[in-house]
């Protein structure tokens, strides 16, 4: 008989715990903390005293078993719950997709902006093509839709335009009359109001109001139609969405913006007249001051600017609507983008106008 | 022990329009009950009243012995804890991942710490077979997966009752059958009572213990029985609904006959 090596082994002593009470979502939060603080390998848990158990309780037993404990004598109902969770398989630890690097994101933005720029140019081209087609077949233009849009864009905007422009006239007159009075020049507030409202502020306030009111509405309406596949339905029938949806809105915008601007200017000047009256300047004097200062070219350049603003508002609103992605948040994103882009383009267009007017000597 | 859901004299509708009049029924613990009927008969309306989204024109809804109608504040919240609901299109929150969707109710309505909540939520996803999709956005999942994720979210707080609105709507027959099997399995292993609205005969036969049949013309329940018994029903309206597959597509008297000229 060969000699055997001397050995020292621990005897397998098994610790037993007893688990009892209700093992439910509401009653097990303390136990969840406890099991995370302790080693559970080679530990037996006698679960025969468990009374009620729900899915969260079964999840707790699952976690114990994953940590190496052996669950014994679990009542049948709890065993069914636990078995449904396949307790022998460890939990799959999926990780969220890593966030992209700053430079990668910047590159993606630039690329998207670039692609977007091309799309906008082609949208402009599509508008021109659709306009040309419609001119050749005037009867096929959707006159009823156009009239409806004129009502929505123009007539329905009258109350808000009235309110804002009368306030604007009053505030502008009042704020400039106080310092002007120090020089005894209140009379010239009329000149200031007339020139600034008709050349610059009238078109701009109207355009900003329309951007919020109409540009956003176009983007949201067409965006929702896109999400609901109404645009696809139109295309399937052979309708060109540009001719069918965009042109009536675009023409309504181009036509209504100058009209609203004219209205805003008249109302704003009226508001100024009220203030001037308070400073002792009669309406007739106020009128003749303005008539002497402002000429037809001022008025026409303001109105043509308004028409271009109207085009920007309607075109960008429709473009953003048609470019809407999928899902509930896409319409919101399209509307936001539309309003922001319209405001940026309005300022750019206004600046260009100022440069051109200066060089032409208007 | 009283029934888990007890509806007494319920009349519901929108505005002045009444859709269901004087409806009464009860659902026992552990049952899978289907609410069925033709389009416009008020299936979804009934479900939306049962889960308290609308308040009824008259009647009472008792869930686990507590009156839902007219209860407000903390009492109402306690009743709402008794059930989870899956809506027709899933109604997952699009801005969160699937896992976050399931964790949201746990984070708001339990005292558990973050690791425990994550384990429970991942196990709920395992239960519906979406464990590997935890970090996906809902929009990245197929229609059937979105519904399964919605079931996992509805099950997050281990409710006693699961309400499902048209679980098989918009799904292909195979996906629909898988979903039916899942609902049946969840009902059995998780001990939840399921109430589902459906018009799919196949899924009603596959999962429902009992069916409540509504009818538009009577504005109420025309039959409550097991699907097998309903299929054999002598009531013509029930029979028409259950046996539509056996309609003759070409009635015999329409067979064309040669015109004859007699002189």
């Amino acid at each position: 008989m060969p000699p055997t090596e001397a050995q020292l082994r621990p005897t397998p002593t098994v610790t037993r715990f007893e688990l009892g009470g209700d093992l439910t979502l509401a009653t097990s939060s303390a136990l969840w903390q406890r099991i995370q603080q302790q080693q559970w390998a080679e530990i037996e848990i006698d679960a025969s005293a468990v009374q009620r158990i729900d899915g969260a309780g079964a999840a707790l037993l699952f976690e114990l078993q994953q940590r190496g404990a052996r669950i014994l004598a679990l009542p049948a109902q709890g065993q069914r719950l636990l078995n449904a969770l396949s307790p022998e398989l460890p939990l799959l630890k999926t990780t969220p997709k890593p966030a992209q690097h700053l430079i990668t994101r910047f590159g993606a933005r630039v690329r998207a902006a670039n692609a977007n720029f091309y799309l906008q140019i082609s949208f402009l081209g599509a508008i021109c093509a659709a306009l040309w087609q419609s001119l050749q077949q005037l009867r096929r233009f959707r006159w009823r839709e156009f009239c409806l849009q004129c009502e929505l864009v123009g007539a329905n905007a009258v109350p808000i335009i009235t309110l804002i422009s009368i306030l604007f006239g009053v505030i502008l007159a009042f704020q400039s009359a106080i310092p002007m009075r120090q020089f005894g020049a209140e009379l010239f507030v009329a000149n200031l109001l007339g020139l600034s409202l008709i050349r610059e502020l009238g078109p701009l306030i109207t355009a900003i109001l329309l951007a919020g009111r109409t540009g956003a509405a176009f983007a949201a309406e067409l965006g929702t139609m896109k999400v609901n596949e109404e645009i696809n339905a139109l295309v399937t029938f052979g309708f060109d969405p540009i001719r069918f949806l965009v042109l009536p809105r675009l023409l309504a915008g181009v036509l209504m913006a100058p009209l609203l601007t004219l209205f805003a200017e008249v109302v704003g000047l009226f508001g100024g007249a009220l203030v001037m009256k308070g400073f002792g300047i009669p309406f007739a004097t106020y009128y003749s001051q303005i008539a002497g200062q402002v000429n037809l070219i001022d008025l026409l350049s303001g109105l043509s600017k308004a028409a271009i603003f109207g085009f920007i508002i309607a075109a960008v609103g429709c473009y953003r609507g048609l470019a809407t992605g999928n899902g509930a948040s896409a319409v919101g994103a399209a509307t936001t983008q539309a309003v922001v882009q319209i405001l940026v383009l309005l300022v750019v267009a206004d600046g260009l106008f100022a440069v051109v007017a200066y060089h032409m000597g208007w | 022990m009283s029934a888990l859901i007890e509806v007494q004299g319920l009349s519901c509708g929108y505005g002045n329009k009444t859709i269901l009049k004087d409806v009464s029924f009860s659902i026992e613990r552990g049952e899978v009950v289907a609410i069925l009927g033709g389009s416009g008969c008020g299936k979804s309306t009934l479900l939306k009243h049962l889960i308290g989204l609308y308040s009824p024109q008259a009647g009472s809804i008792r869930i686990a012995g507590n009156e839902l109608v007219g209860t407000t504040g903390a009492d109402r919240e306690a009743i709402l804890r008794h059930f989870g609901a899956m809506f027709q299109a899933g109604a997952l929150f699009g801005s969160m991942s699937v896992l976050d969707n399931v964790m949201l109710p746990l984070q708001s309505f339990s005292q558990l710490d973050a690791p425990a909540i994550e384990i429970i939520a991942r196990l709920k996803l395992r239960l519906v077979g979406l464990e590997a999709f935890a970090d996906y956005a809902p929009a990245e999942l197929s229609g059937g997966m979105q519904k399964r994720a919605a079931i996992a979210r509805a099950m997050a707080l281990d409710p006693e009752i699961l309400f499902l609105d048209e679980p098989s709507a918009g799904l292909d027959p195979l996906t629909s059958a898988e979903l039916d099997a899942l609902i049946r399995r969840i009902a059995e292993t998780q001990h939840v009572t399921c109430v589902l609205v459906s018009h799919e005969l196949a899924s009603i036969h596959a999962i429902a213990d009992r069916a409540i049949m509504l009818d538009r013309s009577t504005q109420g329940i025309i039959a409550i029985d097991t699907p097998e018994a309903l299929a054999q029903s002598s009531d013509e309206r029930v029979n028409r609904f259950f046996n539509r597959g056996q309609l003759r597509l070409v009635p015999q008297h329409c067979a064309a006959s040669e015109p004859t000229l007699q002189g």
Side-chain angles (χ1 to χ4, degrees):
Chain A
M1 196 176 160
T4 50
E5 195 79 18
Q7 290 173 342
L8 184 66
R9 273 196 306 234
T11 52
T13 50
V14 177
T15 323
R16 278 178 81 102
F17 282 84
E18 221 173 79
L19 187 62
D22 285 351
L23 211 55
T24 62
L25 185 65
T27 54
S28 57
S29 56
L31 202 54
W32 271 104
Q33 284 175 355
R34 167 102 193 271
I35 64 169
Q36 281 158 18
Q37 291 157 0
Q38 195 180 325
Q39 290 291 321
W40 292 97
E42 297 302 319
I43 286 179
E44 283 185 351
I45 292 175
D46 180 4
S48 57
V50 168
Q51 284 158 359
R52 287 186 15 202
I53 178 166
D54 67 359
L60 189 134
L61 293 179
F62 173 92
E63 181 63 10
L64 276 173
Q65 192 164 337
Q66 284 297 317
R67 285 167 182 263
R70 279 209 301 277
I71 315 281
L72 303 171
L74 186 65
Q77 185 198 0
Q79 196 62 52
R80 264 205 306 277
L81 275 170
L82 187 57
N83 287 347
L85 300 175
S86 333
E88 64 286 352
L89 294 174
L91 262 187
L92 207 60
K93 282 283 168 195
T94 54
T95 45
K97 285 165 215 150
Q100 278 175 329
H101 194 269
L102 199 65
I103 295 176
T104 321
R105 281 211 305 263
F106 180 70
R109 278 282 179 84
V110 170
R111 213 175 115 176
N114 194 26
N116 202 12
F117 180 70
Y118 281 104
L119 279 177
Q120 284 180 348
I121 302 255
S122 65
F123 182 70
L124 211 58
I127 288 177
C128 293
L131 201 60
W132 179 245
Q133 274 187 336
S134 289
L135 280 177
Q136 288 174 324
Q137 304 167 304
L138 277 179
R139 293 186 60 188
R140 285 190 62 193
F141 182 72
R142 298 179 70 212
W143 293 105
R144 288 176 63 141
E145 171 82 2
F146 170 67
C147 293
L148 177 73
Q149 291 300 334
C150 282
E151 189 190 331
L152 292 176
V153 176
N156 292 357
V158 166
I160 182 75
I161 299 250
T162 311
L163 179 72
I164 300 288
S165 49
I166 203 164
L167 267 178
F168 214 83
V170 166
I171 293 166
L172 203 59
F174 197 73
Q175 292 294 348
S176 42
I178 293 169
M180 295 277 254
R181 193 162 57 173
Q182 294 173 357
F183 307 101
E186 304 101 291
L187 185 59
F188 296 101
V189 169
N191 301 36
L192 183 151
L193 268 181
L195 203 59
S196 60
L197 270 180
I198 286 175
R199 280 193 71 122
E200 195 61 46
L201 294 175
L204 206 59
I205 307 167
T206 314
I208 289 175
L209 283 176
L210 281 187
R213 219 187 148 269
T214 304
F218 285 174
E221 187 186 0
L222 297 195
T224 312
M225 288 180 78
K226 176 94 184 281
V227 170
N228 288 343
E229 297 204 275
E230 288 175 48
I231 305 276
N232 289 351
L234 280 178
V235 173
T236 317
F237 273 120
F239 293 118
D240 176 13
I242 306 255
R243 206 165 72 178
F244 201 80
L245 297 171
V246 178
L247 272 196
R249 286 171 173 75
L250 202 65
L251 291 188
V254 171
L255 196 70
M256 287 300 120
L259 282 180
L260 286 174
T261 302
L262 197 62
F263 176 74
E265 286 165 0
V266 171
V267 173
L269 287 178
F270 174 70
L274 291 180
V275 175
M276 289 290 92
K277 183 88 178 159
F279 280 86
I281 292 164
F283 287 139
T285 320
Y286 179 79
Y287 172 75
S288 64
Q289 278 293 325
I290 293 176
Q293 177 70 48
V294 181
N295 57 28
L296 192 62
I297 289 190
D298 291 327
L299 183 69
L300 289 183
S301 85
L303 291 185
S304 55
K305 196 150 78 169
I308 289 183
F309 288 171
F311 178 84
I312 290 174
I313 291 164
V316 174
C318 290
Y319 171 76
R320 286 294 172 189
L322 289 179
T324 302
N326 284 322
S329 59
V331 178
T335 312
T336 312
Q337 284 172 338
V339 174
V340 170
Q341 192 181 357
I342 287 171
L343 292 180
V344 170
L345 284 181
L346 284 183
V347 172
V348 170
D350 202 31
L352 284 178
F353 245 94
V355 171
V356 170
Y358 176 75
H359 283 286
M360 301 294 283
W362 290 341
Chain B
M1 198 163 147
S2 67
L4 187 57
I5 304 174
E6 221 171 337
V7 175
Q8 280 292 332
L10 184 75
S11 291
C12 45
Y14 306 102
N16 295 326
K17 200 174 149 210
T18 302
I19 294 172
L20 290 170
K21 228 189 282 177
D22 199 18
V23 169
S24 302
F25 60 91
S26 61
I27 293 172
E28 300 294 328
R29 206 172 282 271
E31 274 189 307
V32 177
V33 175
I35 301 172
L36 60 134
S39 294
C41 70
K43 303 186 293 284
S44 291
T45 307
L46 177 59
L47 192 86
K48 281 173 183 154
H49 281 80
L50 288 181
I51 60 181
L53 283 181
Y54 300 113
S55 42
Q57 293 166 342
S60 94
I61 300 166
R62 295 176 82 81
I63 288 177
N66 306 300
E67 179 63 54
L68 178 67
V69 179
T71 311
T72 50
D75 292 340
R76 186 184 177 81
E77 259 185 39
I79 301 175
L80 296 185
R81 285 295 87 73
H82 285 285
F83 56 79
M86 188 212 85
F87 294 94
Q88 219 178 91
L92 297 168
F93 306 121
S95 56
M96 306 175 182
S97 74
V98 172
L99 183 67
D100 289 335
N101 263 287
V102 182
M103 293 202 307
L104 182 72
L106 287 163
Q107 285 160 346
S108 314
F109 299 111
S110 77
Q111 279 79 50
L112 300 178
D113 50 0
I117 286 176
E118 194 181 327
I119 292 168
I120 294 178
R122 283 184 190 277
L123 285 172
K124 296 293 178 206
L125 286 175
R126 171 179 283 189
L127 211 57
V128 298
L130 288 178
E131 200 184 356
F133 296 89
D135 288 307
Y136 279 56
E140 293 173 303
L141 301 183
S142 69
M145 287 163 134
Q146 287 186 15
K147 293 194 182 199
R148 281 192 273 154
I151 292 178
R153 188 180 64 183
M155 290 295 298
L157 296 174
D158 293 307
E160 291 166 71
I161 311 165
L162 191 57
F163 288 106
L164 305 123
D165 192 6
E166 304 262 5
S168 45
L171 299 181
D172 66 87
L174 285 178
T175 314
S176 176
E178 280 172 25
L179 198 69
D180 289 344
L182 174 73
I183 294 170
R184 188 76 227 184
R185 197 170 72 235
I186 284 182
E188 277 164 12
T189 62
Q190 308 296 303
H191 314 288
V192 284
T193 308
C194 288
V195 180
L196 64 137
V197 163
S198 184
H199 50 235
E200 288 286 321
L201 285 174
S203 62
I204 291 163
H205 278 294
I207 53 182
D209 299 318
R210 279 200 307 158
I212 297 174
M213 175 118 192
L214 301 176
D215 189 70
R216 190 177 179 171
S217 55
T218 54
Q219 297 191 324
I221 297 175
I222 50 172
I224 305 181
D225 214 330
T226 62
E228 294 75 27
L230 284 178
Q232 311 286 327
S233 169
S234 57
D235 187 316
E236 200 227 338
R237 291 164 301 184
V238 179
N239 209 1
R240 212 168 43 215
F241 189 88
F242 267 82
N243 299 321
R244 63 171 172 188
Q246 289 152 27
L247 280 181
R248 285 175 192 281
L249 289 178
V250 185
Q252 281 169 328
H253 60 264
C254 281
S257 57
E258 287 281 318
T260 50
L261 239 176
Q262 290 172 341

